[in-house]
């Protein structure tokens, strides 16, 4: 919401899209946690699981842990998609360096490419991640900029308002 408040003066529609994509990502992440809960339940062996043998419970638990990994791959799409409007807002704003906006857009595309690589060709995911790693530092750069330098929002001239 702080980012929305910061960038709503730049473009309310794009700022709203950014927040909507973050909310979808958060929802996917929360639902994905259910896979961990299911795995933990299976590993602990609750009473109602007595009908399953220990190796069966362990196999099911590993399935849920792997599903969690796939859930993260799907969530990477939204991690990337929300960075696209964020980067566009940074580029359009006059209070943050445009290069950070470009970097965020590249970062967003890198997440989307990594996600599709993880879904379509998981054996190449590690190579893709190593190649995309510099692009993924865009988020770190904007966080450091905002923490250290901050956003110096300039008031609009009386004519523009």
């Amino acid at each position: 919401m702080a980012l929305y408040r910061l960038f709503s003066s730049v473009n309310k529609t794009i700022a709203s899209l950014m927040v909507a994509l973050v909310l979808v990502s958060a929802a996917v992440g929360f639902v994905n946690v259910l896979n961990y809960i299911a795995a933990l339940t299976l590993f602990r062996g609750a009473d109602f699981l007595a009908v399953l043998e220990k190796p069966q419970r362990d196999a099911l638990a590993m399935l849920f842990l792997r599903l969690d990994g796939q859930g993260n791959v799907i969530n990477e799409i939204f991690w990337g998609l929300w960075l696209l409007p964020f980067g566009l807002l940074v580029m359009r704003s006059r209070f943050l360096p445009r290069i950070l906006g470009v970097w965020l857009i590249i970062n967003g595309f890198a997440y989307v490419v990594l996600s599709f690589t993880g879904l379509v060709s998981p054996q190449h995911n590690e190579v893709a991640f190593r190649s995309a790693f510099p692009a993924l530092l865009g988020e770190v750069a904007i966080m450091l900029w905002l923490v250290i330098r901050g956003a110096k929002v300039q008031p609009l001239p009386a004519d523009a308002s």
Side-chain angles (χ1 to χ4, degrees), residues 122-135:
Q123 68 272 21
H124 296 107
N125 204 32
E126 188 175 332
V127 172
F129 179 78
R130 275 190 264 127
S131 301
F133 184 73

Side-chain angles (χ1 to χ4, degrees), residues 24 71 80 111:
V24 170
Y111 268 133

Side-chain angles (χ1 to χ4, degrees), residues 35-36 38-44 54-68:
N35 290 315
Y36 272 137
L40 184 61
T41 303
L42 286 162
F43 281 133
R44 286 187 177 165
K54 175 96 169 97
Q56 292 172 321
R57 287 194 312 263
D58 290 347
L60 278 173
M62 287 306 298
L63 171 69
F64 281 111
L65 290 177
R66 293 208 177 156
L67 283 175
D68 176 72

Side-chain angles (χ1 to χ4, degrees), residues 10 20-21 33 55 78 83 90 124 138 149:
V10 177
L21 289 169
V33 168
F78 295 103
L83 290 175
V90 170
H124 296 107
R149 297 282 312 261

Side-chain angles (χ1 to χ4, degrees), residues 3-97:
L3 288 175
Y4 176 79
R5 290 185 65 206
L6 180 64
F7 290 110
S8 63
S9 63
V10 177
N11 187 312
K12 280 188 189 260
T13 304
I14 297 174
S16 298
L17 176 63
M18 176 185 68
V19 170
L21 289 169
V22 167
L23 290 174
V24 170
S25 175
V28 170
F30 282 126
V31 170
N32 197 36
V33 168
L34 288 174
N35 290 315
Y36 272 137
I37 295 169
L40 184 61
T41 303
L42 286 162
F43 281 133
R44 286 187 177 165
D47 292 339
F48 64 90
L49 293 171
V51 296
L52 299 173
E53 299 293 325
K54 175 96 169 97
Q56 292 172 321
R57 287 194 312 263
D58 290 347
L60 278 173
M62 287 306 298
L63 171 69
F64 281 111
L65 290 177
R66 293 208 177 156
L67 283 175
D68 176 72
Q70 290 300 311
N72 281 335
V73 168
I74 291 168
N75 208 6
E76 278 180 348
I77 294 171
F78 295 103
W79 297 346
L81 289 178
W82 90 272
L83 290 175
L84 300 177
F86 184 24
L88 188 60
L89 288 166
V90 170
M91 282 178 49
R92 289 185 178 181
S93 74
R94 303 213 188 276
F95 47 85
L96 291 169

Side-chain angles (χ1 to χ4, degrees), residues 97-131:
R98 288 185 178 197
I99 188 67
L100 289 176
V102 172
W103 200 352
L104 285 171
I105 290 171
I106 293 168
N107 193 158
F109 280 117
Y111 268 133
V112 172
V113 168
L114 283 174
S115 180
F116 282 117
T117 302
L119 290 172
V120 175
S121 182
Q123 68 272 21
H124 296 107
N125 204 32
E126 188 175 332
V127 172
F129 179 78
R130 275 190 264 127
S131 301

